[in-house]
Amino acid sequence: MFYPPLRLFAGEVARRSCAVTEGAQSGGLGASSMGPWIDRSLAVAAGAATALAHPPWGLTPCLLGFGLMLWLIDRTNSARPLRSAFLRGWLAGAGYFAISLMWLAEPFQIDAAEQGWMAPFAVVIVALGMALFWAAAALVYRAFAGRGPLRVVLFAGCLAGAEWLRGHVLTGFPWDLPGEAWRAGSAPSQAASLVGAYGLTWLTIAAVATVALVQEWRRGWMVMIGGAATLIALFVFGAARLAHPPLAAPGGPTPTLRIVQADVPQESKYDQRRFAGIVGRYVTLTARPSARPADIVIWPEGAVPAALEDYLAPGTWTRQAVMGALAPGQTLLVGGYRWSGDGRPIAYNSLAAFRRTSNDLVPAGLYDKYRLVPFGEFMPLDSLASRLGIKQFVHVGDGFASGPPPRPLAIAGIPPVQPLICYESLFPGLAREGRAPRGVRARWIVNVSNDAWFGSGSGPRQHLNLASYRAIEEGLPMVRATPTGISAVIDAFGRVPAGEELGHGVLGVIDAPLPPAAGPTLYSRLGDWPFLIMLILSLAGARWPRRKPTEV
């Protein structure tokens, strides 16, 4: 029992707290409390701060911005609550994507004289477009949220569901999912092996957004404890998983790798006078002596600015140079474009495998990129875009054709490998075991990427972090090769071993053994089914119409 005055004080605090919450839920604390522009500015700040949890900043406490976002949406104006929620969600998303996608300005600097003026418009337009997903999530949440503290899980479900849509609409653009704000290889990131990046997004938002309930201590303390327990569970599970690294696979020696990073800026590839020098860089680095010759040599996407069938055609000096750099028995994996088809040729962005025999360079495997970059490699709604002149504006031309869905590539002499080309490494589940033929599992993932487009800012570091999540999800090591950095060897837990990374602007090679694969993960078997269950659980925070009791 409380001392009577203390009891009265506690009761008054609880009463006022409930009154504040109910006012917020009904919109009574909207613009009248602090003014609409302050609330809107806070929404932008909440989104922008949350983006700072991603690399290269890594300010994980900024994830609490989701709690501020929820609090602001709960405070929406009573006269137009859905419109107000939509606007605040859109502003929060605009802040988030403006920070996350700053690197989008870099590709326009390749030809700054002609396209540099587009850079700020590209960042702003894409950020505002991506923010519409968050705006829709805020609107749906505000329309169906109940008054109780479990509305937090509805908020997590709406926002995580919107992020899933962002990863799928018009082939998707899942850059910087909130769940991938945890540094890949850290303890919390290991939950992706269970529920994938979308499931980890739900868990992250649901856990950190509970801070919005701080003024509802009487009704919300159990949910806040649940949020704290979720974060603790992420760290405990991850620490336990990291404490048991996979062992080398039995049955033969571990293959050795050589990743070649020639540090060729993107603008250099458009100057024909530099063609021989570019080929020379790759050839020289490939032939560099080492203590143990590599079994597999990896060149990045777009390594040589020419079609694969042109510079590797029999009788060309470039083919002879490549052959001379490889030792008999070595396999070369190289990214580039190729032409196919009779009549009107069709272009593919591909990864080709060649095996060096005693006197020849023999094709050993081919993978064509499945997920293409919208407005970069293909034009969504092509016929409409052509009529409107948008296709000519973005210089897509006829673009690339999409290959079949990813499957492990069987190449003689090396372990089965799942290729992912550049943009494809953003997509959870694209390399999933469940997509492979029954009984076939890749032993590793190779990700060739042309990160020269990303410049030296946040893009390369973020891309490395995002790609590393595919290793965690599948329990497979990943090998990344880029022309200007960041190239790396990534283990099955998403970690980069010491000395097995080449930063931006570094010319060199990585010589390393292929890390062992872990066992199949829950996510590799079930895909996004656990995430679907989370979305269903989110309905616990919705407001349901109640039937009036039937009179007897």
Side-chain angles (χ1 to χ4, degrees):
M1 297 292 290
F2 287 98
Y3 184 64
L6 187 59
R7 290 178 58 195
L8 291 174
F9 175 75
E12 180 66 12
V13 171
R15 185 185 67 78
R16 289 176 181 268
S17 176
C18 290
V20 167
T21 302
E22 292 172 3
Q25 291 298 308
S26 63
L29 284 179
S32 61
S33 176
M34 294 192 300
W37 289 107
I38 294 179
D39 280 0
R40 292 167 188 172
S41 298
L42 283 175
V44 175
T50 304
L52 295 178
H54 288 277
W57 307 283
L59 302 177
T60 306
C62 287
L63 287 171
L64 295 175
F66 286 115
L68 176 58
M69 180 182 171
L70 172 59
W71 183 73
L72 289 168
I73 295 172
D74 280 342
R75 291 166 41 84
T76 47
N77 188 284
S78 59
R80 295 174 175 175
L82 298 185
R83 178 178 176 180
S84 182
F86 183 91
L87 176 60
R88 294 180 188 191
W90 184 63
L91 290 173
Y96 181 86
F97 292 110
I99 299 297
S100 295
L101 300 176
M102 288 191 303
W103 57 267
L104 275 178
E106 296 289 347
F108 296 93
Q109 303 307 317
I110 302 300
D111 184 8
E114 293 290 331
Q115 300 181 348
W117 64 272
M118 302 182 193
F121 297 100
V123 175
V124 171
I125 291 172
V126 175
L128 295 181
M130 295 293 102
L132 291 174
F133 289 97
W134 284 32
L139 186 150
V140 173
Y141 164 77
R142 192 66 177 85
F144 294 98
R147 294 176 179 270
L150 282 179
R151 67 184 186 276
V152 170
V153 297
L154 179 64
F155 175 72
C158 290
L159 196 51
E163 288 294 86
W164 185 93
L165 288 174
R166 180 166 70 91
H168 289 78
V169 173
L170 296 177
T171 78
F173 184 56
W175 187 277
D176 276 2
L177 298 174
E180 294 171 328
W182 306 102
R183 178 179 54 82
S186 66
S189 72
Q190 302 306 306
S193 66
L194 299 177
V195 296
Y198 292 119
L200 185 53
T201 293
W202 188 96
L203 289 172
T204 300
I205 296 173
V208 299
T210 57
V211 299
L213 306 176
V214 67
Q215 66 181 18
E216 303 173 39
W217 65 273
R218 187 175 182 182
R219 296 193 303 165
W221 68 274
M222 284 293 292
V223 176
M224 293 181 68
I225 291 175
T230 299
L231 292 176
I232 293 171
L234 290 178
F235 279 92
V236 171
F237 169 78
R241 187 169 190 259
L242 292 172
H244 298 86
L247 301 176
T254 300
T256 55
L257 311 166
R258 168 162 286 187
I259 304 172
V260 177
Q261 181 171 300
D263 191 30
V264 177
Q266 189 62 27
E267 59 269 20
S268 299
K269 299 178 183 179
Y270 300 105
D271 188 344
Q272 287 298 318
R273 295 170 298 178
R274 300 186 182 183
F275 179 81
I278 292 172
V279 175
R281 281 197 183 194
Y282 280 100
V283 166
T284 300
L285 291 171
T286 299
R288 179 183 290 181
S290 64
R292 178 183 171 186
D295 300 301
I296 308 166
V297 178
I298 302 118
W299 290 8
E301 177 192 25
V304 176
L308 289 168
E309 65 269 19
D310 289 342
Y311 77 88
L312 292 176
T316 59
W317 71 266
T318 46
R319 180 186 177 95
Q320 293 301 316
V322 173
M323 284 182 56
L326 295 169
Q330 284 185 319
T331 298
L332 172 67
L333 302 180
V334 55
Y337 69 93
R338 69 180 187 91
W339 297 95
S340 179
D342 298 326
R344 185 179 182 182
I346 301 172
Y348 292 93
N349 190 354
S350 306
L351 175 78
F354 294 90
R355 188 165 182 83
R356 172 71 156 89
T357 63
S358 58
N359 57 2
D360 201 1
L361 197 61
V362 179
L366 182 67
Y367 170 79
D368 294 321
K369 189 175 182 181
Y370 172 64
R371 285 292 181 102
L372 302 174
V373 182
F375 306 103
E377 294 179 317
F378 84 105
M379 176 57 66
L381 306 174
D382 184 79
S383 59
L384 177 62
S386 297
R387 288 197 299 269
L388 295 176
I390 298 175
K391 185 171 180 179
Q392 289 75 18
F393 178 75
V394 296
H395 306 292
V396 172
D398 289 331
F400 289 103
S402 178
R407 295 288 188 273
L409 199 60
I411 301 171
I414 70 173
V417 58
Q418 177 58 67
L420 294 176
I421 298 177
C422 193
Y423 178 71
E424 292 184 314
S425 66
L426 305 183
F427 290 86
L430 198 59
R432 190 167 64 83
E433 180 186 5
R435 290 175 172 266
R438 184 176 296 275
V440 176
R441 185 185 187 224
R443 164 76 169 72
W444 57 301
I445 301 170
V446 62
N447 174 218
V448 293
S449 182
N450 189 1
D451 286 11
W453 287 105
F454 294 173
S456 58
S458 60
R461 180 58 61 182
Q462 288 181 7
H463 200 189
L464 172 66
N465 190 68
L466 301 176
S468 299
Y469 268 85
R470 310 293 81 82
I472 300 171
E473 289 172 341
E474 306 305 323
L476 296 175
M478 173 182 281
V479 179
R480 292 197 81 234
T482 71
T484 57
I486 301 170
S487 301
V489 176
I490 304 160
D491 73 8
F493 293 154
R495 302 173 299 188
V496 177
E500 297 183 8
E501 176 182 309
L502 288 174
H504 187 272
V506 177
L507 181 147
V509 300
I510 300 174
D511 289 325
L514 179 65
T521 64
L522 182 68
Y523 180 77
S524 71
R525 290 170 170 167
L526 299 182
D528 285 328
W529 283 103
F531 174 60
L532 177 61
I533 294 173
M534 292 176 181
L535 294 183
I536 294 173
L537 292 176
S538 299
L539 298 177
R543 179 181 68 248
W544 300 96
R546 296 181 179 179
R547 292 184 178 180
K548 295 182 179 180
T550 304
E551 295 183 3
V552 180

